[in-house]
């Protein structure tokens, strides 16, 4: 059980540019330990979203991974065999308003996710008619776990019938559907108002503990990091500049850039961001 | 929804009335004097005058229009100079042939266009995509009479796979006339021979008629799907592990169907126009060839009657298209 | 000009432009370019129905005339007809559209209802009906075609005028006491010229096609005119042996209309990028 569950080793990714290729990720190293929540912090454009996309295997078509490895439990995801392991991931996207297909019911979309990722502990396979009830019950339990009101009815409704916070809960439920070993969250609270943010963060905390999932949490907001993350990796311009325990980094950031990010949070004055901040 | 229908029908009435007025005026503009023509070469002035009174041509114009209106509403379009039968009856008899051809062309254009457009979008920038883009652009520049002749040349004369003309092989009796559409009637009367034969005869004219429409639908499907695939929810679906084909079918495709469906609705009018040429070339006994015949024999009444009927059909189809659009896209449909 | 440079980067549009210019050159210098000008009208039974050869690139027709030379001269009549019809349609349609867009009330709706009326029947059918009523011949066909196409220009002019009319500078001009005629002619017209040109270009393509169809049906052009549609009609009885007789004139139509369509699409993308469909 030793070793990080997810590891990125010297990842370099480039895209075509006006004159030759432009490197977006310049040798990124990152490790996520079992059961921990790792924050990936940085300003816009530092490459954190690109990193998540590379891990998920959804980099834009014209980008190319030049070197590096992405290891899940020691297996390289960048190989054809390793690519199949990606169903161990759960993904929580940034914008709940845009992430769901507006023309299909919640239940249909979540069922499709189960189709390709499998029920917890099972291999993914086509959903037979007689199994539908079982799958559906599982989806209902997930929606209950994220405290969505009327989970049964929700499955038959369309995305536009829910609020932003509710949609984010649904997306979290979807991310947990196959009991993933690693959750990848790409700034899931950025598009929400502050009160909803707090609720969602609390929810994520509880769920991470309950389901014993390791989580990679991308954000630029150090307030969120202080509440949720055990460790944090700081990125700037495609490289990692600092890594360490959250408390240590916040108390004594080594880089001026990190200090700037921390200071950018409006609550910086008092410094104890919210109740429940990691000690 | 009923309110919408009523409103649209009411809007259409002035247009149709205008059309009636237009055709009435055009009939009056005919250079020859119908009374003299009817009377023959050796008629005396008195005989011509008598015929004129008979035909009501000496009454005030407004009354003439009103009686014309009355006649049209009863389906009386006068008598064809050529066939000597009531034009109304001629039109009614020939209408199903044109409708069958148009429906088949619509199906070709819709199914073919969506399929090809989807494939081109999925294989964006491949050789197939470029080929499709070339063919669709060229397809809209192609004269349909030329396409018809070329298709006849290749598939009928050269390869001999498909028949050259007509709705059925010469000598074959058509199925019992329930709708007038040979395919439907064949199915309804369980007549396999006529079904197969009529399908074979529909192939070339249907394809010719459909070609331009297919090109348009393919273009719109392609660009709509390409646009849809840029959306964030598509990225999300990829991130959570949907395979590429599954993302397109059914998900992205359903999101992309509004604009192609819109085009399909608009195709109908163009097909009625196109049917004129296609019917003439394939000897298809529908309204189109009737119109061509009327023009070549200077049968003004027939020409204008067909124009009127086509105008009505066109208007009704446009209303239906608006209705369907409203049903698909609730934002438009809030007027319903 | 910047606009021209932008257009030149659009390859299909450039292709269209090249095609149109080539056709125009052929049309203008037809008698000089045609390899056998004496065979455009001059017949010779001995030469009839010869397949394509070095001497007759497109073969000869039923009366022994060189098809290539006839196709070249056919370009002249195609362009003249199309220009004439589009020109006449614009002459009728644009002023009506300007009037409808600028004035309000009864006159405006009357014009638009009239346009709707002419659009109530598909173009070809209306053109056939009108052409039949007028005397046989090319001029009648051209008048008939113009009567079916003017509503398109009216609609374009109307919506564009409406759009401009609501802008402040028109109100200012009215406030200054400028006469409506002056405003329309000097200020509105130049601003709506671009969409009108796009419509005209597309209209050219459409007209060549429709005029050829009329020629094919025996309305409009009459023998021995080297009109493309007419040539295809004449060729029918000699199929399948003399395929070249039908193929080449039809191909000329295809190429010319293609040119106008490509250019029209390119111009439309320039004028209204919002309408730009992904290429």
């Amino acid at each position: 059980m030793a070793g990080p569950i997810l590891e990125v080793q010297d990842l370099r990714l480039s895209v075509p540019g006006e004159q030759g290729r432009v490197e977006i990720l310049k040798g990124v190293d990152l490790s996520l330990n079992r059961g921990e929540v790792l924050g990936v912090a940085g300003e816009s454009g530092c490459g954190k979203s690109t990193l998540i996309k590379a891990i998920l295997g959804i980099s834009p078509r014209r980008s190319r991974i030049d070197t590096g490895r992405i290891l899940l439990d020691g297996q390289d995801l960048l190989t054809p065999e390793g690519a199949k392991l990606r169903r161990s991931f759960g993904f929580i996207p940034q914008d709940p308003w845009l992430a769901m297909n507006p023309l299909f019911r919640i239940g249909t979309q979540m069922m499709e996710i189960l189709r390709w990722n499998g029920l917890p502990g099972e291999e993914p396979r086509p959903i037979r008619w007689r199994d539908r009830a079982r799958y559906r019950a599982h989806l209902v339990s997930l929606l209950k776990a994220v405290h969505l009101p009327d989970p049964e009815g929700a499955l038959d409704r369309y995305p536009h019938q829910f609020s932003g916070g509710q949609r984010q809960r649904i997306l979290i439920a979807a991310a947990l559907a196959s009991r993933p070993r690693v959750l990848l969250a790409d700034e899931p609270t950025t598009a929400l108002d502050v009160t909803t943010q707090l609720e969602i963060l609390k929810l994520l905390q509880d769920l991470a503990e309950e389901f014993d999932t390791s989580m990679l949490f991308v954000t630029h907001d150090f307030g969120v990091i202080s509440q949720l993350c055990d460790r944090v990796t700081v990125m700037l311009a495609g490289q990692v500049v600092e890594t360490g325990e959250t408390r240590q980094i916040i108390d004594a950031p080594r880089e001026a850039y990190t200090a700037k990010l921390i200071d950018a949070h409006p609550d910086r004055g008092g410094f104890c961001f919210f109740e429940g901040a990691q000690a | 929804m009923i309110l919408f229908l009523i409103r649209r029908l009411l809007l259409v009435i002035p247009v149709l009335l205008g059309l009636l007025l237009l055709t009435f005026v055009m009939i009056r503009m005919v250079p020859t004097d119908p009374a003299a023509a009817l009377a023959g070469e050796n008629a005396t002035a008195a005989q011509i005058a008598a015929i004129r009174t008979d035909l009501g041509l000496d009454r005030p114009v407004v009354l003439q229009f009103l009686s014309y209106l009355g006649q049209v509403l009863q389906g009386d379009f006068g008598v064809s100079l050529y066939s000597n039968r009531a034009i109304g009856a001629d039109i009614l008899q020939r209408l199903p042939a044109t409708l069958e051809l148009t429906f088949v062309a619509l199906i070709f254009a819709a199914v073919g266009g969506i399929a090809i457009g989807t494939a081109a979008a999925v294989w964006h920038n491949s050789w197939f995509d470029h080929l499709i883009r070339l063919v669709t652009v060229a397809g809209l520049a192609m004269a349909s009479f030329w396409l018809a002749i070329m298709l006849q040349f290749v598939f009928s004369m050269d390869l001999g796979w498909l028949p050259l003309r007509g709705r059925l092989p010469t000598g074959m009796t058509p199925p019992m006339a329930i709708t007038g559409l040979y395919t439907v009637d064949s199915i309804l009367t369980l007549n396999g021979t006529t079904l197969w034969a009529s399908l074979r005869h529909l192939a070339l004219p249907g394809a010719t008629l459909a070609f331009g429409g297919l090109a348009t639908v393919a273009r719109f499907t392609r660009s709509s799907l390409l646009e849809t695939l840029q959306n964030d929810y598509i990225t999300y679906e990829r991130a959570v592990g949907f395979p590429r084909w599954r993302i397109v079918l059914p998900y992205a495709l359903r999101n992309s169907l509004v604009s192609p469906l819109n085009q399909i609705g608009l195709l109908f009018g163009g097909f009625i126009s196109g049917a004129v040429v296609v019917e003439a070339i394939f000897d298809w006994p529908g309204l189109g060839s009737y119109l061509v015949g009327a023009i070549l024999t200077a049968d003004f009444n027939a020409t204008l009657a067909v124009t009127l009927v086509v105008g009505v059909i066109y208007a009704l189809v446009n209303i239906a298209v608006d209705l369907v659009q409203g049903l698909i896209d609730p934002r438009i449909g809030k007027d319903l | 000009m910047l606009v021209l440079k932008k257009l030149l980067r659009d390859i299909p549009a450039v292709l269209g432009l090249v095609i149109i210019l080539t056709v125009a050159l052929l049309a203008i210098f037809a008698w000089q370019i045609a390899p056998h000008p004496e065979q455009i009208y001059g017949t010779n039974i001995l030469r009839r129905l010869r397949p394509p050869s070095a001497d007759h690139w497109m073969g000869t027709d039923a009366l022994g005339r060189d098809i290539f030379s006839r196709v070249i001269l056919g370009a002249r009549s195609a362009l003249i007809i199309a220009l004439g019809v589009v020109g006449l349609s614009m002459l009728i349609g644009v002023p009506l559209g300007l009037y409808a867009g600028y004035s309000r009330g009864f006159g405006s709706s009357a014009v638009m209802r009239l346009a709707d009326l002419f659009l109530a029947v598909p173009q070809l059918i209306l053109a056939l009906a009108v052409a039949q009523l007028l005397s046989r011949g090319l001029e009648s066909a051209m008048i008939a075609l113009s009567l079916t196409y003017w509503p398109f220009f009216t609609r374009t002019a109307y919506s564009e005028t409406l759009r401009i009319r609501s802008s402040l500078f028109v109100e200012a001009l009215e406030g200054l006491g400028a006469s409506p005629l002056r405003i329309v002619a000097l200020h509105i017209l130049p601003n709506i010229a671009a969409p009108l040109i796009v419509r005209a270009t597309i209209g050219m393509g459409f007209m060549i096609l429709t005029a050829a169809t009329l020629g094919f049906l025996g309305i409009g052009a009459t023998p021995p005119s080297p009109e493309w549609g007419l040539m295809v009609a004449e060729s029918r009885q000699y199929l399948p042996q003399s395929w070249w007789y039908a193929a080449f004139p039809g191909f000329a139509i295809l190429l010319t209309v293609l040119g106008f369509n490509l250019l029209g699409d390119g111009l439309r993308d320039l004028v209204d990028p919002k309408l730009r469909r992904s290429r």
Side-chain angles (χ1 to χ4, degrees), chain A residues 88-150:
Chain A
S88 306
F89 286 135
F91 175 57
I92 305 172
Q94 179 171 354
D95 198 328
W97 301 105
L98 302 175
M100 290 193 273
N101 194 321
L103 295 189
F104 292 86
R105 294 173 219 262
I106 305 292
T108 316
Q109 300 188 50
M110 289 180 81
M111 201 68 94
E112 194 77 36
I113 294 179
L114 283 181
R115 156 70 181 95
W116 299 105
N117 292 289
L119 279 177
E122 291 182 22
E123 286 292 311
R125 60 162 188 269
I127 303 176
R128 289 172 298 210
W129 201 254
R130 51 198 160 118
D131 288 328
R132 283 185 71 87
R134 195 159 58 100
Y135 279 72
R136 210 179 145 89
H138 178 62
L139 292 178
V140 170
S141 73
L142 285 167
L143 291 180
K144 280 206 185 100
V146 296
H147 310 309
L148 195 74
D150 184 23

Side-chain angles (χ1 to χ4, degrees), chain B residues 79-83 87 294-295 297-304, chain C residues 132:
Chain B
V79 172
S80 158
L81 256 100
Y82 180 66
S83 69
I87 296 177
I295 287 176
T297 57
D299 195 345
F300 300 112
N301 283 329
T303 308
L304 293 171
Chain C
Q132 190 198 26

Side-chain angles (χ1 to χ4, degrees), chain A residues 35-279:
Chain A
E36 84 170 347
V37 179
L38 174 71
V40 177
E43 60 187 10
S44 330
C46 69
K48 44 195 207 296
S49 270
T50 312
L51 179 62
I52 287 256
K53 288 200 172 125
I55 297 175
L56 283 168
I58 54 170
S59 306
R61 241 203 281 196
R62 310 190 64 193
S63 61
R64 191 179 64 203
I65 293 184
D66 299 314
T67 56
R69 302 197 297 170
I70 303 178
L71 303 173
L72 179 67
D73 246 350
Q75 290 220 282
D76 189 359
L77 296 178
L78 296 175
T79 59
E81 310 82 47
K84 299 187 196 125
L85 295 173
R86 287 198 168 105
R87 56 185 185 85
S88 306
F89 286 135
F91 175 57
I92 305 172
Q94 179 171 354
D95 198 328
W97 301 105
L98 302 175
M100 290 193 273
N101 194 321
L103 295 189
F104 292 86
R105 294 173 219 262
I106 305 292
T108 316
Q109 300 188 50
M110 289 180 81
M111 201 68 94
E112 194 77 36
I113 294 179
L114 283 181
R115 156 70 181 95
W116 299 105
N117 292 289
L119 279 177
E122 291 182 22
E123 286 292 311
R125 60 162 188 269
I127 303 176
R128 289 172 298 210
W129 201 254
R130 51 198 160 118
D131 288 328
R132 283 185 71 87
R134 195 159 58 100
Y135 279 72
R136 210 179 145 89
H138 178 62
L139 292 178
V140 170
S141 73
L142 285 167
L143 291 180
K144 280 206 185 100
V146 296
H147 310 309
L148 195 74
D150 184 23
E152 265 286 351
L155 284 179
D156 295 321
R157 287 203 277 275
Y158 291 89
H160 68 263
Q161 293 172 283
F162 297 94
S163 72
Q166 288 173 330
R167 286 160 104 165
Q168 198 58 284
R169 289 171 195 275
I170 294 171
L171 287 167
I172 293 173
L176 293 166
S178 302
R179 198 65 60 82
R181 308 188 31 229
V182 177
L183 266 180
L184 299 167
D186 188 359
E187 302 205 54
T189 53
T190 311
L192 302 169
D193 63 86
V194 181
T195 349
T196 322
Q197 259 190 36
L198 289 175
E199 290 170 10
I200 297 292
L201 286 177
K202 179 100 178 47
L203 178 65
L204 280 172
Q205 246 184 316
D206 295 338
L207 289 173
E209 277 182 36
E210 180 185 335
F211 287 85
D212 194 29
T213 313
S214 322
M215 184 159 37
L216 190 70
F217 198 100
V218 170
T219 181
H220 61 273
D221 188 335
F222 258 89
V224 170
I225 290 181
S226 88
Q227 181 179 0
L228 197 57
C229 308
D230 303 309
R231 287 170 58 237
V232 60
T233 295
V234 183
M235 282 183 72
L236 168 66
Q239 286 176 308
V240 174
V241 296
E242 202 169 344
T243 289
E245 301 275 325
T246 310
R247 197 74 243 182
Q248 281 176 334
I249 300 261
I250 289 181
D251 285 341
R254 219 177 51 209
E255 302 283 329
Y257 167 70
T258 315
K260 232 176 44 171
L261 279 177
I262 297 172
D263 280 335
H265 193 280
D267 279 356
R268 190 62 179 94
F271 214 91
C272 207
F273 293 115
F274 329 82
E275 309 135 38
Q278 301 280 348

Side-chain angles (χ1 to χ4, degrees), chain C residues 266-278:
Chain C
L267 287 176
R268 178 181 19 212
D269 285 344
L270 264 186
V271 164
D272 198 344
K274 285 179 266 123
L275 286 183
R276 173 160 221 201
R277 293 182 284 251
S278 26

Side-chain angles (χ1 to χ4, degrees), chain B residues 19 26 146 219 281 294 303 314, chain C residues 117 120 132-133 236 246 265:
Chain B
L19 201 53
M26 291 207 284
W146 186 67
R219 274 181 107 185
I281 295 180
T303 308
Y314 199 35
Chain C
L117 180 62
Q132 190 198 26
L133 291 171
R236 278 189 77 193
D265 272 352

